[in-house]
Every structure is written in C-alpha cells, then in structure tokens.
Amino acid sequence: MAETWEVELSDIKYRPEIDGLRAVSVVLVVLFHADHVIPGGYVGVDVFFVISGFLITSIIRRQIEQGQFRLRDFWVRRIRRILPASAVCIVGTLLLCSVVMLPNKLMMTARSAAASSLGVANVYFMEAGGYFDGPADEKPLVHFWSLAVEEQFYLFFPPLLVWLHRRRRDSVLRWLVGLTVASLACSAFAVYRKPDVAFYLLPSRAWELLLGALLVVIPRRDVGPSRCEWTSSIGLAMIVAAAVFFDPLTPFPGFAALVPCWGAACVIRANQSARLTVIGRLLACRPMVFVGRISYSLYLWHWPILALMRYCLIEITLVNGMIAVFVSLALAYLSWRWIEQPFRKIGSAKQSETATWKPFALGGACVIGILLLSSGIVVGNGWRWRYRASVSPHVEDATWNAAHLKTSRGAKDYPRIGDANCLEDSFVVWGDSHAMMISDVLDRSAEEAGIAGRFISVGGVPPLRHVWQHGGRTPPSTEADRIVQYIQDQHVPNVILAARWSAYAEGYGSGDMRFDERGKHPNHFVIGDSKDDDFVPTSARRVLRERLADLVVTLTSTGTRVWIVQQVPEQLGPTALPLLLQKHIHLKSSFFPTNVMRHRQRQAAANSALRMSESLGATLIQTQHLFFDEYSRPILFVDGRACYNDNDHLTRYGAARMLHDPLSAMAADIASSL
C-alpha cells in the first residue's frame, strides 16, 4: 500500500495508470468506511496488495539483475517511504483522541498505536476483535493492520528473492507459484475456521502480494491490442463487481479475494508504459494520478477522521461525509507534500554512503517517540487529569466495565463474586455482556445476603445450548455444554441467566445500526438451530423459546433452580457519552430515548419466551417496569447521572440505582433456601 514507483532508484519507466489504479483502490476503501456507501469497498486493500507486490518485485528484480541490490538500501527506501507519514498520523490521531476520547478508549487507542509503530497492528487487532466488529469508532487506527501485513512481507520476501536468484535461478517461478498456492489454500481454509486469522495475518494474505510478484516473473507474451483491451476492461469490472456485490458478511479473503486481486492483475498485465488500453488511459488521467500519488496519506488519514466523527456522535450524512472526504484529501495532500516528499531525500542514493544511517535513526526515533507517548497514556490511566472534578462522575459512568470477570473460552474455573468468607458456591451467573453489566450489583447483593457464586460471561453469546448464530462460520459452541456440565458436576443449587434476549430473537435494533454497530447485518445476532438456518427473526424466536425451555428443563430436572433476569429496555442511542461530551468539550450531542410502545414491540417475542420458561419452573426477575416513570417516559438519568452507557447497557451507577432492589431480593431468597 505504501509502495510506489521510485524512478530514481530503478530503470523502470513510470506507469501513470498504476497510480490511477491506486486511486480506484483508495476511493473504494474510503467509500466503504464512509457508512458503507460501497458495501464491498474493503477489497481496495487487496488491490493495493497486488500493486505493492508487483512494484516491489519489479524494483528488486531489476536491481538484482544489474548487481545493484542491497538489503540495506531496500530498508532505507522502505523507512523513508512508510514511516514518517505513518508516524505523524499515529501521533496526530493520539492527540486528537486525547481531546475527545474517554480514558478507557484512549488507552485502547494508545495500545493500538504502539502495536502499529512496531509493525504488528494486524496481530493486535486480530486479538482485539474483528475488522467488521463494532464499535469501529473505538479503533481509529484499525486500518494500520494492512501496513503491518506489508511490512512483515518485506521482512521475508526480499531475502527470499535474492536467495532464489542466487541458488535457484531457474526455479524462481515455481517457488513463487508454490508459495502463492500454499498461501491461498491457507486463506481458503482459515476463512471458515478462523476468519479473523484469515483476514489479518500474513500467511493468508501473502498470496495477494505474491500474485503481483508473479506478474513480474511470468514472461510476457505479445498479444494483440484487442485482447489487451478486453483483459483490462474485465479486470476493472471484476474490481468494481467485488466492491458492489461483496459485503462484510462475505467470507473473506479466501477464494472470494481472487475476484478483486485477479482483476487488479489483469489491469496491470494488459497495460504497458508504451501502450495503454482505454481503461489504462482513463486511469492515467491527471485527476486519477493525483489521487493515486496521495493515496498512501489519504489511506492513513481518512479513517481516523471518520472514526472520531462517529465517536462524537456526528452522523455521516451526505454533507458531513463530503466534509470528511474534503478534510481527508487536504490532510493527505499536506502529508504527501510536506512529509512524504521531503523525507524521501534523507539517505537517498544520491547522497553519500555515510548518510544512510539517517533513515534508521529517524525510524528508531519515530518508534521510540510513539512508544513513549503511548506508554504515558496507558500508565497515566488514560490521562484522567484532563477532566474537571464536576465531570469525573460522568467519566466513571461511561468507562466502567467488569473486564476482570470476562470468561475466556475453554475456561476450567470461573471467578467468584459475593461474600469472600463463604466457602460454598450458592449460584452461578451465566450470560453475555448484560450479565457483565449487572455483575457489580450482583456482587454487592450476594455479599449482603452472605452468599457467593461463580460468574460466567461471554459477550455476544447467549446462555443457551445447541444454537448457531448468524453467519454460520462457527459451529455451536461446546462452551455451553461445558458450562451446564460444570453446574451439574458441582451441584450448584441456583443458576441466574442474564442476556440481551431481544437481540437473539430480533437481531440488532435501530439504535445499534444508527450508532455503534455499522457494517453488521441487522440479523447478525439472531440464532438458529442449524448451519443452514435462514437466520431471520421468525425462526429465531422459535429457537429462543425452544432452547431456553430445554435449558430450564435440563437444569431444574437435576434440582437446580433457574432465575432469569429480564432484559433492560433498549434506547435508540447512547446516553452517558453525549452528556460527557457536552460537559467536557461543549459539543451539542443528543440522545434518543425509546418509548413504551416501541419497547413493548421490541421485547414482545423475548418476553414471551421468558414467560414460557417461567411456566416450566424458572423464576423471572421483572426489571423493565423500573425504567419508566408514572408518565411512561424512559428513565435515563437519576440525580443528574446517566443510567445508560450506550443504547442497551447500563452504567454501574445505573445498575446499582435501578436493579439493586430486585437483585437483592433474589439474593436474599437464595440465601433463605440454603
């Protein structure tokens, strides 16, 4: 992505149509990130990979053949080309985030900045959650994953190419074909088994760069102009088709990535510096070339701007989107003109040999500076000193989480909550992030009642057995069976189920799609009973009723009492964050409460399933009536503090104020029955 023609370093003639192709790629990515104007625009990154593989291999091979290639010079060029602009973008993003982001989110961004500076952003974001997983506005540097893939490719590929030319000169093509096929096979296998691994890591992405390398190695045959025209047109059509017809739910990369990558290869192959096709001439026009030249900086800056706009609850409308694009283009031009271009001259081939240390010193200084800044943010607990004393309670409301209670998959033991002096486990709490949301008030209620228990919570996963979730890539988790077996083996007398029940029956609500879950299918959360289920609310409601009833019967038949906590009402947008923004940086943000009619409609199917489970022996903890006043208006704030953190999660303060009484009564009931 960061690569370009460096005419002063090679004898390769400049090909403006490749800059134009880079313009197409970056525009696709920008439009995808701008509220998914083009649903498959993320394929622009794959086109970038093919271009980079082609350019890098062209330069390296020509210099090898001329006896001029040195790894040191190669790394000098990469440092001059990639690092200055990316370092300025990272530092600039951190400074902007320090103005608007909450401490916990700022710390997350600081950690991602450190990973980006070290060239392992792809590994970091793979561990932190998928590329299409929300809320993306918490990841203003997520796009650095692709730069990390390229940097890692540059580590192994040039030495390999040098070794092949020296020891296996006659088999360079066979080696590259073999590596390309192996990487593609890895990608095709992992995209269904480990989709995040397939998306982020080099082994499943290398084939895209190697495809570009093969364009250099495979001998060119003379073909007629007509065939070149068709090849070029079909290639561009494949890129556009992938961008239009793919979406975030398309299993990717895998074989699907062949469409845009093969299209890019066709465009590059069909055009030559001495003979451009119609598509080539279109790509080589001045506006396209200009965007192509600044494409690296445009890629760097566009996403932080869009992410921070969303973080500040600024909707990406047509007008706001145009403003964001204009600002991105302006920053990209300034970055290209005053950072990319000047820094290319430091330690260039035209300078003396003694000057080659300067790029390495510059690179080291950039990395160390970013690491120091990132460490200062993390060690400084997200720079909480930024906030006035009057704002501190709202910071706490918007940032608290119970991450220490999060359950890792395959766990053999679970954290305890409640009275630390109690040796017996009286209950198990099992649920998704909504269980995590009430963990603090449950902990206090259990401690007051003199009981203790285990806490099990996996975000986005219902406390049910034998269900699939939309997408069908992951089989029914054995985690649920393991949890049920644990409850039965330990003879736990009480199980408390808490979850966002409506999401599994109805999919995402309008509040999710409007703010923090862009890019996900409306039915992303819904459950089914097989891989081939339609994953629509009509069947998900049935599956919820049946699986919840099955779980209740299974547990109660062995003497375990089942308690089900009713889901809190969902709002149409965040509440704590807008209030904090208003108080801290004087933005006019607004929140969007629900109403009783919309709430009842949204919760109807889920509440029906809970009531049916109640008839099978479960005890239902009614909570929803507590969140509306005598005029049926939603209660969002108590004593000036927010009850909601986002559209469906309570703050710790909100959970304590609104749910303490019913959960304390439940804990007392459990204690009295022991």
Side-chain angles (χ1 to χ4, degrees), residues 271-286:
N271 288 275
Q272 302 179 46
S273 57
R275 185 182 66 188
L276 294 178
T277 64
V278 172
I279 296 298
R281 289 194 293 272
L282 176 64
L283 294 175
C285 69
R286 286 191 174 184

Side-chain angles (χ1 to χ4, degrees), residues 230 283 308 551 566 633:
W230 276 105
L283 294 175
L308 289 175
L551 181 63
Q566 199 177 40
R633 296 175 303 192

Side-chain angles (χ1 to χ4, degrees), residues 187-225:
S187 180
F189 174 80
V191 76
Y192 291 100
R193 301 283 182 165
K194 299 285 186 179
D196 285 344
V197 170
F199 190 91
Y200 279 112
L201 297 191
L202 179 62
S204 55
R205 287 288 191 171
W207 69 269
E208 302 179 28
L209 292 118
L210 290 168
L211 181 61
L214 286 173
L215 294 175
V216 180
V217 176
I218 296 175
R220 176 182 288 274
R221 294 184 302 171
D222 289 333
V223 296

Side-chain angles (χ1 to χ4, degrees), residues 405-600:
L405 293 174
K406 184 177 181 180
T407 303
S408 59
R409 293 186 181 275
K412 297 181 180 180
D413 196 11
Y414 306 103
R416 296 186 93 222
I417 62 173
D419 188 351
N421 297 319
C422 183
L423 301 179
E424 298 293 329
D425 289 333
S426 304
F427 62 89
V428 164
V429 181
W430 179 18
D432 55 18
S433 61
H434 277 228
M436 192 87 71
M437 174 186 75
I438 62 174
S439 61
D440 191 60
V441 66
L442 278 173
D443 184 21
R444 295 181 184 182
S445 298
E447 186 176 16
E448 292 170 358
I451 59 176
R454 301 285 176 169
F455 190 88
I456 306 171
S457 173
V458 181
V461 178
L464 301 171
R465 298 190 302 171
H466 315 306
V467 296
W468 289 72
Q469 287 184 265
H470 187 264
R473 302 189 200 180
T474 306
S477 175
T478 57
E479 196 74 24
D481 290 326
R482 186 181 297 110
I483 292 169
V484 171
Q485 191 64 49
Y486 172 84
I487 293 169
Q488 294 175 336
D489 291 345
Q490 300 298 318
H491 304 289
V492 180
N494 296 274
V495 171
I496 303 167
L497 303 178
R500 188 183 179 186
W501 305 108
S502 64
Y504 304 118
E506 307 290 346
Y508 279 172
S510 58
D512 296 304
M513 300 304 291
R514 183 171 185 176
F515 285 100
D516 63 350
E517 302 289 0
R518 292 174 175 82
K520 289 189 175 181
H521 195 279
N523 294 339
H524 180 84
F525 255 145
V526 298
I527 56 177
D529 54 12
S530 71
K531 180 179 180 179
D532 299 321
D533 204 317
D534 291 334
F535 293 102
V536 293
T538 51
S539 62
R541 295 163 190 160
R542 172 187 59 80
V543 175
L544 176 62
R545 290 194 305 269
E546 294 177 355
R547 295 297 180 266
L548 186 56
D550 172 72
L551 181 63
V552 170
V553 170
T554 298
L555 293 174
T556 56
S557 65
T558 58
T560 298
R561 187 177 182 183
V562 179
W563 306 76
I564 303 178
V565 180
Q566 199 177 40
Q567 177 189 333
V568 302
E570 296 176 347
Q571 307 302 325
L572 299 185
T575 59
L577 178 58
L579 183 63
L580 177 63
L581 291 174
Q582 289 176 29
K583 288 181 174 295
H584 181 50
I585 56 175
H586 308 294
L587 289 178
K588 293 184 178 181
S589 303
S590 56
F591 50 85
F592 300 85
T594 188
N595 57 53
V596 171
M597 183 179 298
R598 185 183 289 112
H599 159 70
R600 289 174 179 170

